[in-house]
């Protein structure tokens, strides 16, 4: 349990880059493994979660060589995956477990997916149900929780309406659909990140997107080089550190700005923030830009409905920013936050209260009354990377010193976070 101390900052500024997108990196490794030929990946995320995916794929017989942020995946096609010698360890990574379950559902062998303490408490019925309907046999603890024992086999395509908007569940079904007989259709209640659909198309699969419906038929993927843009969700912490400070400016270069990920920017603008997209371009089907943030005084926002899946990972730091905004910010429809790496509603409400903020926990969100002068305190990271990083941003807005426990958990998505943060703080 490593503790990091963050002093309140007078100013935030400069120019930075963030590591490669974690969601896209998982998909680059998995789809690279399922493709035929060598996939060269540049800008691969250094996240421990992505390493979990690489470890599991290697255990399934996939060769992945990696030097810093460049990886080469030797694709074997789904049929080239071999039965693992032991359990597949997914660590803290829900994306690893859920996406690989979709792949393994179509393979004619038994595999067991296990996770750490946090992942072992996360719901899996949401993927067990569609994959079972497609023909896989899956056994889980209490029918819902890891470990998952999967006996894959011949799958048939289904039409599946997702009960919750989840890119992980959507991707699981699409990866199984890639190997099924007939067509598979997924219908979402609201748009979630669409990196899987974009990358499948980029690698030559026929994926049809029609509003909230995605259809896929069995397809062969062909290897193509993949460049991973900077992770918007990592950039969001740095943007938040600057956004509520008039006269401060921060440039974050080469960030993925896929609209299914950038709901946070929409809310920031509604709060009066100034964030400009510069140098917009596209790499392998993903939009990328430089983000210039100029600090402003912020006002409260109401957040709920369709936008929530587009900013789900940014909500912990949005709660922090709401403490600096004039008025009452209300976030609703975000019950999913309770089943992430920690219960992020409870975790953030507790930490913000320790800093002196006026917050009320709701069953599906939070109410935050601002603006509020935060005072440095001792906070718990709840062994959750995004809670730790949100607490660090809160510490920058607080007076005095804030101590954050569980700081080492940032490695799950953004290992160099505290170094980058130190680089953008100015003491005036
Ligand atoms: C992810 C999807 C989201 C997100 C997670 C990564 C992905 O989860 O919270 O950090 O890479 O598909 P859900 O799709 O379950 O909401």
């Amino acid at each position: 349990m490593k503790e990091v101390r963050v002093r309140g900052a007078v100013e935030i500024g400069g120019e930075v880059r963030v590591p490669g997108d974690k969601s896209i990196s998982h998909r680059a490794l998995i789809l690279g493994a399922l493709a035929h030929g060598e996939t060269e990946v540049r800008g691969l995320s250094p996240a421990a979660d992505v390493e979990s995916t690489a470890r599991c794929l290697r255990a399934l017989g996939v060769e992945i060589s990696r030097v810093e942020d460049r990886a080469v995946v030797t694709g074997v096609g789904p049929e080239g995956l071999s039965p693992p010698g032991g359990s597949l360890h997914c660590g803290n990574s829900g994306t690893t477990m859920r996406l690989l379950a979709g792949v393994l559902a179509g393979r004619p062998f038994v595999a067991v997916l296990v996770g750490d303490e946090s992942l072992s408490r996360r719901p899996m019925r949401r993927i067990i149900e569609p994959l079972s309907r497609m023909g896989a046999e899956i056994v889980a603890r209490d029918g819902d929780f890891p470990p998952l024992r999967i006996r894959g086999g011949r799958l048939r395509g289904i039409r599946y309406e997702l009960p919750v908007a989840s890119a992980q569940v959507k991707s699981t079904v699409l990866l199984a659909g890639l190997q099924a007989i007939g067509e598979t259709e997924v219908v979402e209640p609201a748009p979630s990140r669409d990196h899987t659909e974009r990358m499948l198309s980029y690698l030559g699969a026929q994926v049809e997107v029609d509003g909230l419906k995605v259809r896929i038929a069995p397809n062969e993927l062909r290897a193509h080089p993949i460049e991973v843009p900077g992770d918007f969700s990592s950039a969001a912490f740095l943007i938040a550190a600057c956004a509520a400070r008039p006269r401060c400016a921060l440039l974050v270069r080469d960030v993925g700005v896929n609209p299914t990920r950038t709901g946070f920017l929409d809310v920031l603008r509604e709060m009066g923030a100034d964030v400009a997209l510069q140098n917009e371009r596209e790499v392998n089907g993903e939009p990328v830009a430089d983000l210039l943030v100029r600090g402003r005084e912020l006002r409260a926002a109401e957040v709920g409905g369709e936008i929530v899946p587009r900013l789900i990972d940014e909500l912990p730091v949005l709660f922090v920013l709401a403490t600096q905004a004039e008025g009452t910010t209300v976030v609703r429809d975000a019950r999913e936050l309770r089943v992430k790496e920690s219960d992020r509603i409870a975790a953030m409400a507790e930490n913000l209260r320790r800093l002196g903020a006026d917050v009320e926990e709701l069953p599906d969100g939070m109410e935050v009354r601002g603006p509020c002068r935060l005072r440095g305190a001792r906070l718990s990271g709840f062994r959750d990377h995004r809670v730790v990083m949100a607490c660090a941003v809160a510490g920058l807005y607080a007076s005095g010193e804030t101590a954050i426990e569980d700081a080492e958990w940032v490695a799950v998505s953004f290992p160099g976070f505290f170094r980058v943060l130190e680089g953008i703080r100015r003491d005036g």
Side-chain angles (χ1 to χ4, degrees), residues 22-23 27 95 98 165-168 193 312-313 340 386:
K22 179 159 82 73
S23 289
R27 287 155 174 84
T95 311
R98 294 192 177 120
S166 160
Q168 291 180 356
R193 63 193 68 189
I312 191 75
D313 290 343
K340 294 293 180 187
R386 297 201 203 279

Side-chain angles (χ1 to χ4, degrees), residues 305-326:
E306 286 233 330
I307 198 171
V308 170
R310 297 178 47 235
L311 48 60
I312 191 75
D313 290 343
E314 288 64 66
L315 284 173
V317 80
L318 183 65
F319 298 146
V320 172
L321 218 42
T323 68
Q324 303 305 299
E326 175 77 42

Side-chain angles (χ1 to χ4, degrees), residues 95-403:
T95 311
T96 303
M97 184 171 285
R98 294 192 177 120
L99 269 56
L100 286 182
V103 173
L104 293 167
R107 297 297 90 220
F109 51 75
V110 173
V112 178
L113 293 165
V114 301
D116 71 0
E117 206 186 307
S118 150
L119 183 52
S120 300
R121 284 194 302 264
R122 296 183 65 188
M124 295 294 152
R125 188 171 285 139
R126 51 183 65 193
I127 58 160
I128 296 173
E129 199 177 300
L131 294 178
S132 306
R133 277 182 51 196
M134 294 178 86
E137 280 174 43
I138 306 183
V139 182
R141 182 172 56 83
D142 296 333
D144 201 5
F145 303 102
L148 300 182
R149 183 177 181 279
I150 304 179
R151 178 186 290 279
R154 271 184 104 66
L155 302 179
R156 43 187 183 276
I158 57 166
R159 180 175 194 278
Y160 191 67
E161 286 194 26
L162 300 186
V164 286
S166 160
Q168 291 180 356
V169 179
K170 174 176 60 177
S171 302
T172 304
V173 179
L174 292 176
L175 289 169
L178 193 65
Q179 312 167 67
I181 299 166
E183 195 179 77
T184 295
E185 183 177 272
V186 191
V187 189
E188 290 194 277
S192 67
R193 63 193 68 189
D194 64 359
H195 304 302
T196 304
E197 297 90 301
R198 285 176 190 250
M199 199 178 287
L200 281 167
S201 299
Y202 175 71
L203 298 178
Q206 272 171 11
V207 186
E208 231 178 274
V209 181
D210 172 12
L212 293 170
K213 290 186 196 141
V214 189
R215 271 186 291 273
I216 190 166
N219 269 286
E220 264 206 8
L221 305 179
R222 286 185 307 274
H224 277 296
I226 296 172
E227 200 179 316
V228 182
D231 195 321
F232 180 83
S233 297
S234 299
F237 294 100
L238 311 177
I239 293 169
C242 180
R245 299 173 192 271
R247 293 174 303 282
C248 290
L250 180 73
L251 182 67
V252 193
R253 283 202 189 276
D254 305 325
V255 185
V257 287
N258 179 318
T260 60
R261 291 284 296 279
T262 53
F264 180 62
L265 294 186
D266 301 349
V267 173
L268 277 185
R269 289 189 180 119
E270 196 187 318
M271 295 171 85
D274 180 354
V275 187
L277 266 59
Q278 299 181 335
N279 191 16
E280 289 182 67
R281 57 212 184 270
E282 198 172 295
V283 286
N284 39 256
E286 290 282 350
V288 182
D290 301 338
L291 298 176
L292 176 64
V293 195
R294 294 191 198 86
R296 294 278 182 269
E297 280 183 4
L298 301 183
R299 51 182 180 271
E302 296 217 349
V303 179
E306 286 233 330
I307 198 171
V308 170
R310 297 178 47 235
L311 48 60
I312 191 75
D313 290 343
E314 288 64 66
L315 284 173
V317 80
L318 183 65
F319 298 146
V320 172
L321 218 42
T323 68
Q324 303 305 299
E326 175 77 42
T328 303
T329 293
V330 185
V331 177
R332 307 233 50 157
D333 304 320
R335 201 180 289 272
E336 276 294 295
L337 276 187
R338 294 206 183 269
V339 291
K340 294 293 180 187
E341 287 82 329
S342 70
D343 176 342
R344 288 180 173 163
I345 297 176
M348 289 312 298
E350 155 103 32
N351 281 321
L352 289 173
R353 274 196 208 104
R354 289 193 203 172
L355 292 162
D358 184 359
V359 304
E360 194 182 324
E361 209 180 298
L362 305 173
D364 61 345
M366 204 185 299
E367 257 184 46
V368 183
R369 280 170 283 279
C372 175
R373 279 176 173 274
L374 303 178
R375 291 179 308 275
R378 172 171 296 277
L379 306 181
S380 167
F382 289 86
R383 299 176 154 207
D384 180 333
H385 54 129
R386 297 201 203 279
V387 171
V388 173
M389 292 187 278
C391 287
V393 173
L396 290 176
Y397 280 111
S399 59
E401 196 174 71
T402 294

Side-chain angles (χ1 to χ4, degrees), residues 395-419:
L396 290 176
Y397 280 111
S399 59
E401 196 174 71
T402 294
I404 305 160
E405 291 164 358
D406 296 335
E408 72 277 17
W409 285 83
V410 298
V412 163
S413 64
F414 192 171
F417 173 74
F418 284 104
R419 210 175 342 107

